[in-house]
Amino acid sequence: MSGKNSLNLLKNYGNDSSSDEEVPGPRVSTKRCLKDGDNALNKRLPLPEGFRKDRIEYRDDPELHDGRIRSFAHERGNWASFVYIPITEHVSLERLVSYIKELMVDNIDVKPMSDLHISLTKTVVLRYIWINPLVKTIQNYVKCFKKFVIVLGAVKVYCNEERTRTFLGIEVKSGYDTLLKLVNNLDKCLSEFNLPPFYQDPSFHISIAWCLGDQQNILESVLPQINEKLDDLKECYPEDQWYSVVEYLLCKIGKIQTKELLCARHRETEQTR
Ligand code: AMP
């Protein structure tokens, strides 16, 4: 197709008014001159999915997720993503959450957290096309890390930035320096994609329970009792996992996609060879 005809095609794409310019149909010779009223002139190619204005709007229904409100509007092609360390649940943590639920039964509806983890980035919004490039960049930035140990400390109260949810989290006592280095590297990756960094003053933790709204004051008032219970549990069940060996990071992208990023196990094998 000649350059002139390509330009004509572009000019007519999205133009409702008919004209007698030379516009080729799909299998029509570019030399054929179309007449006024020719149907092919008015037939436009359908816009690609992502550009259509008439696409069905997504409506958020907080009832479907325990009243939680989204931090950002759901939009097709945008994937909520974050990097984290997965943590295995254990019985003592369940016991602690049951204790907290009972303690707060008259005041707040405290819910246990599922999928325990330590966040290393905020939840960022990623366009589909940036998923693979970002994952590759992260892999590059974190590949020099070896596996390390974290030890759990005391319970603290956290609120999300919008102050629509409050969390009870067990802060990481040991392993902070490595976590901070990881976060600095992850922040560099995110900045390459114009995505926001983690907190200036990170407090690495495993959220074990949450409730709706800003309940920081009321939960902080019962922290001494909660931490006393935690100390009892640590003493009674020393065999439970009060520490964790971090061997890899995960990147959660949307609901479905999870990619392994850091394989310290693999690096260790390389070094021992
Ligand atoms: P997470 O369980 O990692 O999602 O964390 C629970 C909440 O803690 C998040 O909504 C964060 O906004 C909040 N948070 C508040 N301050 C901090 C901090 N200094 N470091 C990490 N998370 C924080």
Side-chain angles (χ1 to χ4, degrees):
M1 186 185 297
S2 75
K4 194 176 164 217
N5 277 319
S6 316
L7 281 175
N8 279 341
L9 256 182
L10 278 171
K11 229 155 77 184
N12 282 279
Y13 188 78
N15 183 0
D16 268 342
S17 61
S18 55
S19 81
D20 55 4
E21 283 181 79
E22 198 180 32
V23 183
R27 262 178 273 154
V28 178
S29 156
T30 53
K31 287 191 186 121
R32 194 189 136 202
C33 195
L34 293 170
K35 304 272 179 325
D36 269 357
D38 192 317
N39 273 345
L41 260 179
N42 297 321
K43 258 190 199 158
R44 285 192 273 157
L45 291 169
L47 274 171
E49 180 100 335
F51 292 89
R52 267 188 240 149
K53 283 193 193 128
D54 62 340
R55 63 186 195 266
I56 300 160
E57 281 298 318
Y58 176 90
R59 270 170 210 254
D60 193 26
D61 181 358
E63 298 226 336
L64 297 177
H65 33 76
D66 292 326
R68 284 173 290 160
I69 297 159
R70 281 177 190 281
S71 304
F72 42 83
H74 176 96
E75 210 185 302
R76 225 169 167 169
N78 280 349
W79 296 67
S81 316
F82 78 113
V83 181
Y84 64 100
I85 297 166
I87 299 289
T88 321
E89 298 189 23
H90 59 87
V91 183
S92 290
L93 292 183
E94 278 171 31
R95 286 196 185 102
L96 184 62
V97 175
S98 304
Y99 171 81
I100 298 168
K101 267 183 87 70
E102 241 169 76
L103 188 70
M104 303 312 296
V105 74
D106 294 329
N107 302 306
I108 303 171
D109 183 15
V110 175
K111 296 175 171 52
M113 287 290 288
S114 49
D115 301 327
L116 300 185
H117 64 270
I118 298 169
S119 300
L120 297 180
T121 67
K122 289 184 181 177
T123 299
V124 297
V125 184
L126 203 59
R127 299 293 301 168
Y128 181 76
I129 51 159
W130 295 120
I131 292 174
N132 281 332
L134 178 67
V135 169
K136 282 206 177 88
T137 310
I138 292 176
Q139 279 168 335
N140 251 339
Y141 268 94
V142 300
K143 68 182 177 202
C144 53
F145 283 84
K146 295 186 194 127
K147 66 180 177 187
F148 62 101
V149 176
I150 51 152
V151 181
L152 302 188
V155 175
K156 270 183 73 175
V157 181
Y158 299 86
C159 228
N160 65 352
E161 286 176 306
E162 300 80 18
R163 306 202 80 81
T164 53
R165 286 175 84 193
T166 311
F167 300 82
L168 282 162
I170 306 187
E171 200 174 24
V172 174
K173 191 168 70 178
S174 165
Y176 186 90
D177 289 349
T178 314
L179 288 168
L180 198 60
K181 279 183 198 149
L182 272 170
V183 162
N184 288 339
N185 277 12
L186 290 166
D187 281 352
K188 281 182 204 153
C189 301
L190 294 177
S191 76
E192 285 184 23
F193 292 80
N194 263 337
L195 295 168
F198 200 49
Y199 298 86
Q200 284 297 307
D201 181 18
S203 167
F204 301 107
H205 63 273
I206 303 167
S207 291
I208 53 167
W210 69 278
C211 54
L212 279 178
D214 180 353
Q215 313 286 0
Q216 185 145 11
N217 289 341
I218 191 161
L219 285 172
E220 275 179 349
S221 71
V222 291
L223 267 188
Q225 285 151 271
I226 296 174
N227 276 315
E228 213 172 291
K229 180 70 180 174
L230 176 63
D231 289 342
D232 286 350
L233 288 166
K234 282 183 183 173
E235 219 172 281
C236 295
Y237 305 98
E239 70 286 359
D240 269 349
Q241 282 178 293
W242 300 109
Y243 70 91
S244 265
V245 181
V246 180
E247 297 193 342
Y248 58 91
L249 313 182
L250 293 176
C251 185
K252 186 159 190 190
I253 299 163
K255 257 188 192 163
I256 36 163
Q257 220 170 335
T258 310
K259 295 198 177 188
E260 190 164 324
L261 298 169
L262 168 75
C263 267
R265 235 178 290 139
H266 172 62
R267 290 191 58 75
E268 200 184 46
T269 326
E270 273 180 351
Q271 277 162 9
T272 48
R273 244 188 249 147

